[in-house]
Amino acid sequence: MISKKNVIISLVMNIIIVLATIGVIISYFCGNDGEYHIPPDFRFCLFTTDSNILCALSAAVLSFFEIRNLKTGKAIPKAAMALKLVGSTAVALTFVVVVLFLGPTTDFMSMVFGGTSVYMHFAGPLLGIISFCFIERLHLMEKKLIIPAIIPTVVYAIVYVTMVIIIGEKNGGWYDFYGFNIGGFWYISSIVIILVSAGLAAIMRLIHNRMTKTCTKSAQPL
């Protein structure tokens, strides 16, 4: 079983994720338009915002069960950890895309460390990844849980293609703000992003399971 110390550490990290995300979202409606002067409403069209909100929701759910565990000793359900994998995968994709693609092709320092980006693109994702992989050694995650972990990416890809390619900016859709349609290769970009998301989920699951197995000899491989 996970130690009480790790439950407390995880709880603190999850609360930070929830409060920091709420703080950043509120700041958008208080005059903070960021380095790229993005209107508050349009923020929710960005995967960065959506992924951090999803991670915060998963952290909030897990926090509830961690508090209950500390008070009553009741076990933390596996479903809560599965949801944390979903949220952590989403922010991990945000982190990787920003560091490996958007940062190098724009202004890396502003994209990664400018204003609220330091949390939404960097600190927030790392908190989600580290807490899930190394601290929350609660349950072993089956391979099949990789599928729900990439659903947010698939859904967003469908929405992005619809708004950018099918509808288009001239007809009230979105402009290609992520640059995934450079050269007209949106279909390749979509496949790559989904595969990267699946790869990240698989890697985090692997690390999480290995850390969990070292935590208890009674854990059965799944």
Side-chain angles (χ1 to χ4, degrees):
M1 294 295 292
I2 185 174
S3 67
K4 183 178 180 180
K5 177 182 177 181
N6 272 26
V7 173
I8 294 174
I9 293 173
S10 171
L11 176 60
V12 171
M13 295 178 77
N14 283 320
I15 290 175
I16 291 174
I17 290 172
V18 172
L19 295 180
T21 303
I22 292 174
V24 170
I25 297 301
I26 290 175
S27 76
Y28 294 154
F29 296 91
C30 297
N32 175 24
D33 59 0
E35 296 285 327
Y36 299 94
H37 308 293
I38 302 172
D41 293 342
F42 193 73
R43 289 279 182 178
F44 297 95
C45 298
L46 305 178
F47 189 76
T48 291
T49 304
D50 299 337
S51 64
N52 275 275
I53 290 175
L54 180 58
C55 187
L57 288 173
S58 69
V61 170
L62 189 54
S63 294
F64 169 80
F65 289 110
E66 287 174 331
I67 292 172
R68 189 186 70 169
N69 173 267
L70 292 172
K71 287 185 175 181
T72 68
K74 289 185 178 180
I76 299 170
K78 188 172 185 175
M81 279 306 306
L83 182 60
K84 186 64 182 294
L85 173 60
V86 175
S88 298
T89 298
V91 290
L93 180 62
T94 292
F95 178 82
V96 168
V97 170
V98 167
V99 171
L100 299 183
F101 178 67
L102 296 179
T105 57
T106 56
D107 182 346
F108 187 87
M109 293 305 293
S110 294
M111 183 62 68
V112 180
F113 300 110
T116 54
S117 290
V118 71
Y119 176 79
M120 302 295 271
H121 288 162
F122 184 72
L126 287 183
L127 279 171
I129 295 168
I130 292 172
S131 60
F132 176 80
C133 291
F134 301 103
I135 308 299
E136 294 153 359
R137 296 176 285 183
L138 291 160
H139 301 282
L140 295 176
M141 300 282 102
E142 302 102 320
K143 288 182 179 179
K144 65 182 180 181
L145 292 176
I146 294 175
I147 295 176
I150 67 172
I151 287 177
T153 303
V154 173
V155 171
Y156 187 85
I158 292 172
V159 173
Y160 192 84
V161 169
T162 300
M163 296 300 290
V164 174
I165 307 301
I166 298 177
I167 298 177
E169 185 179 4
K170 293 182 179 179
N171 297 313
W174 300 342
Y175 70 96
D176 185 22
F177 46 84
Y178 281 131
F180 291 155
N181 191 38
I182 294 177
F185 295 119
W186 59 269
Y187 48 93
I188 295 178
S189 298
S190 299
I191 294 173
V192 169
I193 289 296
I194 292 171
L195 290 177
V196 169
S197 180
L200 290 170
I203 291 171
M204 288 193 294
R205 169 191 169 271
L206 179 63
I207 296 173
H208 171 86
N209 282 358
R210 287 188 176 180
M211 294 301 296
T212 300
K213 288 177 181 177
T214 62
C215 184
T216 171
K217 293 181 180 180
S218 62
Q220 297 297 318
L222 298 173

